[in-house]
Amino acid sequence: MIWEIEDGPRAIEGLDERGRPRPEYAAGLGLVPAPIGRRILAMVIEGLFIGLLQLPMLLVALPAIIGAVGTADPADAVFGRPDAVWIVVTFVVPYALTTVFLLVQLILFGRRGVTLGKAFTGLRAVNVKTLERPRFWRGAVVRYLVQVASLLVPVGPLLVIALSPLFDPDRRRRGWPDLAAQTYLVDIRKGLNPYDAKRMRIARKTLATDLRDEKASLPSLATPASGPATDVYIPVARNRGGVLGAPKERAGGGERPAAEEGPVAPIQESPFAVDSAPAAAPPTREPVVLARQAAEPPAPVASPAPAAAPAPGPASAPQPTPRPEPIEEPATPSSSVAPAETLLPGATSSTWSAPDLMPSPAAAPTASLLLDSGEQLEVPATGAVLGRAPSVAGADAGAAPLAVADSTKSVSKTHVALRWVDGALVAVDLGSTNGSGVIRDGAETELDAGVPATLRSGDTLRFGDRHASVRLT
């Protein structure tokens, strides 16, 4: 195992040349700016809760203190009352509870970016540069000091600070308190939760790493499932040369006369085609050339009758020799050789089989996965199951188990299944712990357990923290 030790400070991603945060980086991770309405609602909720804590003091202690102000001895007017203890309790306890509440608010905001109002409205705060927790002093204390300072002067500064998110040049709705504290409020209901460490790590890795293979794809040797059909040599008859093939016809119809007939031109050049050469040419022994049946004897030709001995008598003129006529061979099928086919030299009827003259059916589609480690996995026609130690059962009983190494154990033992459905490859999450997703055109779609999702060539399949690029042929 190789351990990497960082010598210098950790590099912060998403900053420009001047060290300023780039809004498009946060948007690429999936962070959504917090809407103005819910920001105001969060502040109202926190203000109402503080008012609820102060309610005993407002109802009991404050009227008594206001009534004692106009007397000669205000202290004696307050503590000399029979309910003086109750007045002190209703003043001290709400004040202490409010102080504790504000302190807890600051700690939660600095460490988790959340407060009471933000928890109810689905908002979180992060550091605008690191997109991590805002920190206590710079992120929480400075932000609340700016807000408290706006309350010292009524209406004017408070209204300006409340409307300042509308004038953010980066369009991220960051107000003056956010600019001072370097914070960024995001909406976790519509976007990514920055405090989900696993999802955040996957988003950063996906944005920083291009999983698409830039290599030029080689042409497939499989028979195309669709497209223009090619010409196929299909023997249909026997021509005069004794070779199986489709004889070429004349333009006016009918076959060419024997004098014009040459080598038969098949529709597509075939290794079984032979040239109709003169009969005196010796037969070739190459296995790709079909010869005529060796056992087939040449057609017998009638020999001329011998001239009779001249009878004694006067000499007569010699009689012309009659022209022999060919005897047509009867078409009687043989019991040992197929009548319409020819055999290779040395073949017998028991070992001979007709050549496959029909085109082969379209090959089934194939798929492969290119892992982020560079390893390539082939998906067979029976499907596959991915995981650290996958087991196949049920609907995936015939699938191939493909083990994927993962030292972080973000991949379950039996994580995701790849199945062929009507010629399409689909991915099905098998109830994994860290889930699966399909990344297409930069956007990830989470897979629900047991619900198939169709994969396309070029998609990226995420299972746990591992990624695999899908290739279909």
Side-chain angles (χ1 to χ4, degrees):
M1 180 179 293
I2 300 176
W3 296 90
E4 295 182 358
I5 301 177
E6 297 182 357
D7 297 334
R10 181 174 63 91
I12 300 177
E13 300 175 350
L15 302 181
D16 58 11
E17 295 79 3
R18 300 190 218 174
R20 296 181 303 182
R22 293 187 291 115
E24 59 272 13
Y25 179 79
L29 294 177
L31 300 180
V32 178
I36 299 296
R38 272 192 274 166
R39 292 176 60 138
I40 296 176
L41 180 60
M43 297 178 61
V44 171
I45 292 175
E46 295 171 3
L48 291 177
F49 189 81
I50 293 176
L52 183 63
L53 295 177
Q54 297 289 328
L55 187 61
M57 185 184 67
L58 297 178
L59 296 178
V60 178
L62 187 60
I65 294 175
I66 292 176
V69 170
T71 61
D73 190 359
D76 183 64
V78 173
F79 294 104
R81 298 178 53 166
D83 56 349
V85 176
W86 178 245
I87 293 175
V88 172
V89 170
T90 56
F91 181 84
V92 174
V93 172
Y95 182 82
L97 292 177
T98 303
T99 304
V100 172
F101 172 74
L102 293 177
L103 183 61
V104 171
Q105 289 274 92
L106 292 175
I107 295 175
L108 288 177
F109 187 88
R111 296 185 62 84
R112 299 294 300 173
V114 64
T115 58
L116 179 64
K118 294 176 179 59
F120 274 101
T121 55
L123 305 181
R124 295 293 185 273
V126 293
N127 185 279
V128 71
K129 290 186 176 181
T130 62
L131 301 180
E132 296 174 356
R133 56 183 183 176
R135 304 287 181 178
F136 178 76
W137 292 107
R138 178 65 184 269
V141 175
V142 172
R143 189 173 190 275
Y144 273 87
L145 285 178
V146 174
Q147 292 179 340
V148 172
S150 65
L151 298 176
L152 299 179
V153 180
V155 183
L158 180 61
L159 183 61
V160 171
I161 289 181
L163 297 178
S164 60
L166 299 176
F167 306 100
D168 183 12
D170 294 334
R171 300 180 181 271
R172 291 197 283 184
R173 306 187 184 102
R174 298 179 61 219
W176 286 1
D178 299 318
L179 295 175
Q182 292 187 351
T183 54
Y184 176 35
L185 266 65
V186 297
D187 183 4
I188 64 172
R189 293 181 181 177
K190 296 183 179 180
L192 178 65
N193 184 359
Y195 291 93
D196 189 340
K198 185 178 294 296
R199 300 298 182 200
M200 196 69 176
R201 184 171 64 253
I202 293 174
R204 288 181 186 272
K205 186 185 299 183
T206 304
L207 190 61
T209 305
D210 185 13
L211 297 177
R212 298 183 181 274
D213 189 5
E214 299 296 338
K215 296 181 181 179
S217 58
L218 298 177
S220 173
L221 300 180
T223 303
S226 61
T230 57
D231 295 333
V232 180
Y233 175 72
I234 303 177
V236 294
R238 183 189 296 270
N239 64 5
R240 289 185 177 83
V243 181
L244 292 176
K248 186 177 293 184
E249 297 184 356
R250 303 177 62 184
E255 295 185 359
R256 294 187 298 176
E260 300 178 2
E261 185 174 2
V264 177
I267 300 175
Q268 180 180 353
E269 185 178 357
S270 170
F272 298 102
V274 297
D275 189 8
S276 29
T284 179
R285 286 292 181 179
E286 294 185 5
V288 295
V289 180
L290 285 177
R292 300 192 60 180
Q293 182 179 352
E296 181 180 353
V301 182
S303 58
S316 60
Q319 299 291 331
T321 303
R323 185 178 182 180
E325 296 182 1
I327 300 176
E328 189 171 340
E329 181 183 358
T332 57
S334 175
S335 59
S336 61
V337 182
E341 292 85 3
T342 59
L343 299 178
L344 290 173
T348 63
S349 59
S350 60
T351 61
W352 182 87
S353 60
D356 187 9
L357 303 178
M358 298 302 294
S360 60
T366 60
S368 61
L369 301 177
L370 182 61
L371 300 180
D372 47 13
S373 60
E375 181 183 2
Q376 184 167 348
L377 303 177
E378 299 295 333
V379 180
T382 56
V385 176
L386 298 178
R388 288 188 289 112
S391 61
V392 292
D396 303 304
L402 301 179
V404 178
D406 184 21
S407 59
T408 62
K409 294 186 178 181
S410 65
V411 178
S412 301
K413 290 185 177 180
T414 303
H415 199 108
V416 62
L418 300 177
R419 303 170 183 169
W420 291 100
V421 179
D422 296 333
L425 185 64
V426 299
V428 181
D429 185 84
L430 301 178
S432 60
T433 303
N434 296 316
S436 307
V438 177
I439 302 174
R440 181 177 298 163
D441 298 331
E444 179 179 357
T445 301
E446 294 286 340
L447 299 184
D448 297 330
V451 179
T454 304
L455 298 176
R456 299 178 184 174
S457 184
D459 289 349
T460 298
L461 176 64
R462 180 192 62 78
F463 48 103
D465 287 349
R466 297 299 303 272
H467 293 76
S469 182
V470 181
R471 292 291 180 268
L472 298 177
T473 55

